[in-house]
Amino acid sequence: MCPFMQFIEGGRRYQCGFCSCVNDVPPFFFQHLDHIGRRVDHYERPELSLGSYEYVATLDYCRNNKPPKPPAYIFMIDVSYRNINSGLVKLICDELKTLLDKLPREEQEESSAIRVGFVTYNKVLHFFNVKSSLAQPQMMVVSDVGEVFVPLLDGFLVNFQESRSVVINLLDQIPEMFADTNESETIFAPVIQAGMEALKAAECAGKLFIFHSSLPTAEAPGKLRNRDDKKLLNTDKEKTLFQPQVNSYEALARDCVANGCCVNLFLFPNQYVDVASVGLVTMYTGGTLYKYNNFQLDADSPQFLSDLRKDIEKTTGFDAIMRVRTSTGFRATDFFGAIYMNNTTDVEMAAVDCDKAVTVEFKHDDKLNEDSGALIQCAVLYTSISGQRRLRIHNIGLNCSSQLADVYKTCETDALINFFAKSAFKAILSQPLKIVREILVNQTAHMLACYRKNCASPSAVSQLILPDAMKVLPVYMNCLLKSCVLVARPEIPTDERAYQRQLVTSMGVADTQLFFYPQLLPLHSLDLKSDSVPAAVRCSEERLSEGGAFLLADGLRVFLWLGVSAPPELIQGLFNVPSFAHISTEAIPEFGGFPPFLSPTKMFLFSFQLIIVKQREQSEMLFRQFLVEDKSIYGGASYVDFLCCVHKEICQLLS
């Protein structure tokens, strides 16, 4: 039931807005109509008066027709030599002691219903019994990693509040237990398999938090070799670098989705770990992939801990399935996101959270009607953090027009870029990158040529004409074309490209905007007394000045660029040193007592790694590739050159 249903015959029947079918109103739902044909209870029922609402689902919508159990979180820590040695294992264990008190809960609940479990692993798996009645945690080792089984049911998944002392005990013991390890080889697929089997045995959905650091080379299912090969760049075989190297990960992902098991992966690599393979299950299960290259305890802990806290605390829906329905004339044909699709209509997500977006492509394949418009309903069936099965419904009605000019007038450039980025990043799995880039240029030219031919007032051929709502489309398109995912650059590792490809796939519109065209803020032009953030400037080298300091952010990284003659008081305020020459690029700026506007930014800075860039020093090379309007040294066009190129294509299309 939704606002698009039309009640007729005194309220006894209703006509569906999607398929126009007329149905009887069941007696329990009957209500009289008022003088304008609207139900008397219209405003009392969310499903008749609102665009978005939720239903509590009936048992027919539950797995095996049984009410679901609350979800569980399983923490799986790689305790191989490097992770113990770097202090990472101790960091994770210490953090979990406080974090487990912050598991998400419903507003009306005293404490979280989520149960927790713990596994450590290297070449074998160690499960822990943390039952509240035990004095000490008990370890059970599973060494047959070819056929993983869960060695205990009772006491593996527990309520943290009830088993607090045993769990704290375990978290204190883990770093000591493996302190003398010299095991450097790890497994990976069996770890996911074990977590999934544990959730399956407990008959609940949930999330695995896996903390992993190296290529899984130990003898086991999902074993990987280092196949990173620079010789494949710019060849037709380059696409294989983005595909998983063995098929087993795809099958594992399918099983995880079928069992409502979402995989969150925290990677700490110092060399190639094959993100395209190990990250696949995360992508298909609605999980999040985090990557901290060459993890250093002092420098990288703040960002990692901030990510971990946010992830554990955020509201998540589990074991979700989504359908998108439309009225006649058009239909949903393609879906992009951290999702799994078994057929063409059901979008399956082992978990879905507030940071994930699904982009949908619709095909207009029949007549649309200007009077009735185009209706879309998106329904998500999911299990809440308290274990309640719910249906969340979103409805939207869009206007239809027979005038092409109206389409261009109301076009959403931001949504277009999000869509083109996701479809291009999907296409590189099956097509050479060069072809994918050409298609993007052709599509840009095509959209603009169509406008020129059908909507624009006549003008000289030499003029490039852009619709108002698409003025910045070429800027963003050029940024997408230059992204390291679509253009191989010798100094960008394959893993970084695979990682960014995966991140963008689940991004929302605001995220892709910032990611492809970063924000560049001049810090030196600040009014120190005011709270306002300085206006962003365009991302081009000509906007930088020797006497300035600029902050550049793309949602993943934050750079602080300093000009050689930046004012001493600015440097003193930021770094507590007298001059440019004294600044170490390892320093972490102190924003204490500095501009008030930086206090919110300060929070936002430290959930990212801040990279200090001094003008005319080596680190400027990395910074330059974020000045997206300029020509790139690896052949990416400047914005002006790209406009010329698109204009040439448009002229060819029109002639």
Side-chain angles (χ1 to χ4, degrees):
M1 182 49 63
C2 71
F4 304 139
M5 306 298 190
Q6 188 66 47
F7 289 88
I8 51 176
E9 296 178 24
R12 285 188 296 279
R13 311 186 78 189
Y14 69 95
Q15 183 171 26
C16 172
F18 291 90
C19 64
S20 305
C21 180
V22 174
N23 293 298
D24 291 331
V25 173
F28 75 87
F29 199 74
F30 175 78
Q31 185 55 268
H32 295 287
L33 307 185
D34 64 12
H35 64 288
I36 54 167
R38 182 190 281 163
R39 281 175 59 121
V40 182
D41 63 356
H42 179 85
Y43 288 107
E44 285 144 45
R45 288 189 173 271
E47 73 272 32
L48 299 181
S49 55
L50 299 175
S52 302
Y53 44 88
E54 285 198 322
Y55 285 111
V56 174
T58 54
L59 286 179
D60 305 345
Y61 290 95
C62 300
R63 215 182 263 275
N64 310 327
N65 290 20
K66 290 201 307 217
K69 294 179 180 168
Y73 285 1
I74 303 176
F75 299 92
M76 315 184 88
I77 306 170
D78 162 0
V79 289
S80 58
Y81 174 76
R82 236 189 77 227
N83 283 2
I84 292 286
N85 219 22
S86 68
L88 178 64
V89 173
K90 185 168 175 8
L91 181 74
I92 294 167
C93 291
D94 287 346
E95 182 61 27
L96 285 177
K97 288 184 229 172
T98 53
L99 254 186
L100 293 172
D101 274 323
K102 298 184 181 145
L103 293 171
R105 57 187 168 91
E106 299 284 353
E107 280 171 19
Q108 68 279 9
E109 286 182 331
E110 290 278 301
S111 63
S112 175
I114 293 171
R115 289 170 301 161
V116 293
F118 303 88
V119 173
T120 57
Y121 66 94
N122 37 44
K123 267 163 74 169
V124 296
L125 292 149
H126 322 105
F127 285 77
F128 294 95
N129 183 344
V130 283
K131 200 173 173 174
S132 57
S133 55
L134 294 173
Q136 284 289 331
Q138 294 169 350
M139 175 161 103
M140 297 185 163
V141 180
V142 175
S143 49
D144 179 4
V145 291
E147 290 288 323
V148 177
F149 69 98
V150 182
L152 76 158
L153 267 183
D154 188 32
F156 177 61
L157 293 178
V158 297
N159 176 307
F160 176 61
Q161 303 305 341
E162 288 166 16
S163 291
R164 176 186 295 268
S165 60
V166 196
V167 171
I168 299 282
N169 227 328
L170 171 67
L171 294 170
D172 283 334
Q173 290 173 23
I174 288 174
E176 292 161 18
M177 219 182 285
F178 301 98
D180 302 328
T181 186
N182 51 10
E183 186 54 74
S184 57
E185 278 202 305
T186 57
I187 53 175
F188 184 69
V191 180
I192 297 177
Q193 184 82 34
M196 181 195 75
E197 296 290 353
L199 292 174
K200 190 173 168 181
E203 295 182 341
C204 68
K207 243 192 233 187
L208 311 182
F209 289 80
I210 302 180
F211 304 92
H212 188 85
S213 68
S214 57
L215 194 68
T217 52
E219 240 2 280
K223 173 185 174 177
L224 299 173
R225 59 186 170 79
N226 186 342
R227 50 141 184 189
D228 194 15
D229 187 357
K230 291 267 188 266
K231 289 199 284 296
L232 297 180
L233 302 184
N234 301 316
T235 70
D236 284 358
K237 287 212 172 103
E238 186 174 353
K239 58 176 183 268
T240 59
L241 295 173
F242 293 103
Q243 300 162 356
Q245 64 171 281
V246 289
N247 294 337
S248 55
Y249 283 101
E250 190 119 7
L252 183 57
R254 194 173 51 238
D255 290 347
C256 282
V257 173
N259 290 290
C261 169
C262 164
V263 179
N264 265 350
L265 181 55
F266 293 81
L267 280 176
F268 304 88
N270 62 356
Q271 54 202 42
Y272 181 71
V273 288
D274 198 349
V275 169
S277 300
V278 296
L280 190 78
V281 181
T282 297
M283 170 104 118
Y284 280 149
T285 59
T288 309
L289 177 60
Y290 299 92
K291 185 160 76 74
Y292 312 92
N293 301 336
N294 305 316
F295 183 81
Q296 301 288 326
L297 206 60
D298 299 342
D300 305 313
S301 301
Q303 171 161 13
F304 159 57
L305 294 178
S306 158
D307 291 340
L308 179 60
R309 284 169 198 149
K310 276 189 199 142
D311 205 304
I312 285 183
E313 293 171 23
K314 69 181 162 195
T315 307
T316 303
F318 296 87
D319 201 8
I321 185 159
M322 176 175 99
R323 282 197 178 166
V324 176
R325 310 186 174 99
T326 56
S327 50
T328 48
F330 72 120
R331 60 196 168 89
T333 52
D334 216 345
F335 299 85
F336 307 90
I339 56 174
Y340 185 78
M341 297 197 72
N342 232 344
N343 54 39
T344 52
T345 54
D346 296 339
V347 178
E348 296 182 64
M349 298 170 279
V352 58
D353 63 58
C354 52
D355 299 320
K356 303 281 181 298
V358 179
T359 302
V360 186
E361 179 179 13
F362 294 94
K363 187 175 178 189
H364 172 201
D365 56 6
D366 204 351
K367 289 191 177 59
L368 288 169
N369 183 326
E370 286 204 21
D371 302 331
S372 54
L375 309 180
I376 302 173
Q377 181 181 80
C378 169
V380 181
L381 177 66
Y382 72 97
T383 301
S384 74
I385 45 177
S386 61
Q388 189 179 49
R389 199 75 177 144
R390 296 178 188 167
L391 264 164
R392 179 171 294 189
I393 318 280
H394 292 304
N395 301 286
I396 188 171
L398 300 171
N399 292 330
C400 297
S401 172
S402 55
Q403 301 301 314
L404 201 51
D406 291 342
V407 177
Y408 280 98
K409 209 176 288 168
T410 53
C411 149
E412 287 270 358
T413 294
D414 312 10
L416 279 181
I417 292 299
N418 180 281
F419 164 74
F420 280 120
K422 290 186 182 190
S423 54
F425 284 11
K426 188 174 182 175
I428 62 171
L429 293 175
S430 50
Q431 291 170 300
L433 276 76
K434 185 166 179 281
I435 307 268
V436 175
R437 292 195 301 267
E438 282 167 8
I439 292 171
L440 285 173
V441 177
N442 292 343
Q443 287 178 311
T444 307
H446 220 105
M447 286 188 282
L448 297 172
C450 177
Y451 175 77
R452 170 107 197 209
K453 185 179 166 195
N454 302 294
C455 313
S457 43
S459 58
V461 182
S462 59
Q463 237 184 318
L464 173 66
I465 298 177
L466 301 171
D468 271 348
M470 297 174 94
K471 283 272 191 278
V472 293
L473 182 78
V475 190
Y476 279 99
M477 240 355 174
N478 189 37
C479 297
L480 169 58
L481 286 163
K482 291 199 286 192
S483 84
C484 73
V485 178
L486 295 184
V487 183
R489 297 204 289 259
E491 90 290 9
I492 301 252
T494 304
D495 271 348
E496 184 57 31
R497 300 174 70 198
Y499 169 65
Q500 291 192 18
R501 179 185 163 267
Q502 186 156 332
L503 275 188
V504 168
T505 301
S506 64
M507 274 184 184
V509 172
D511 298 331
T512 44
Q513 286 305 87
L514 185 61
F515 181 74
F516 289 111
Y517 194 106
Q519 260 205 324
L520 186 59
L521 303 171
L523 290 190
H524 52 279
S525 61
L526 277 177
D527 173 2
L528 295 187
K529 294 178 190 61
S530 125
D531 259 342
S532 61
V533 179
V537 296
R538 288 173 62 167
C539 280
S540 167
E541 194 171 357
E542 59 186 40
R543 301 294 167 129
L544 302 174
S545 54
E546 290 193 357
F550 293 80
L551 205 56
L552 182 141
D554 71 349
L556 277 193
R557 294 153 289 241
V558 179
F559 293 91
L560 177 58
W561 182 92
L562 298 155
V564 281
S565 41
E569 60 275 17
L570 185 81
I571 289 170
Q572 184 72 47
L574 278 174
F575 295 96
N576 211 3
V577 295
S579 73
F580 181 83
H582 290 83
I583 299 169
S584 141
T585 49
E586 312 290 275
I588 294 179
E590 303 170 19
F591 289 113
F594 200 59
F597 106 84
L598 274 173
S599 44
T601 318
K602 184 177 172 183
M603 296 323 297
F604 128 94
L605 280 178
F606 289 112
S607 60
F608 296 100
Q609 196 176 4
L610 182 71
I611 303 157
I612 309 282
V613 179
K614 295 172 76 175
Q615 187 180 8
R616 301 189 194 132
E617 289 192 10
Q618 185 58 43
S619 57
E620 226 189 354
M621 286 291 283
L622 174 66
F623 178 74
R624 285 239 172 104
Q625 68 197 31
F626 293 92
L627 300 173
V628 287
E629 289 198 26
D630 301 341
K631 188 171 161 50
S632 140
I633 45 176
Y634 298 106
S638 72
Y639 170 47
V640 177
D641 293 345
F642 180 66
L643 275 181
C644 298
C645 154
V646 169
H647 189 210
K648 242 196 328 241
E649 291 257 344
I650 293 172
C651 295
Q652 271 176 336
L653 283 169
L654 292 176
S655 62

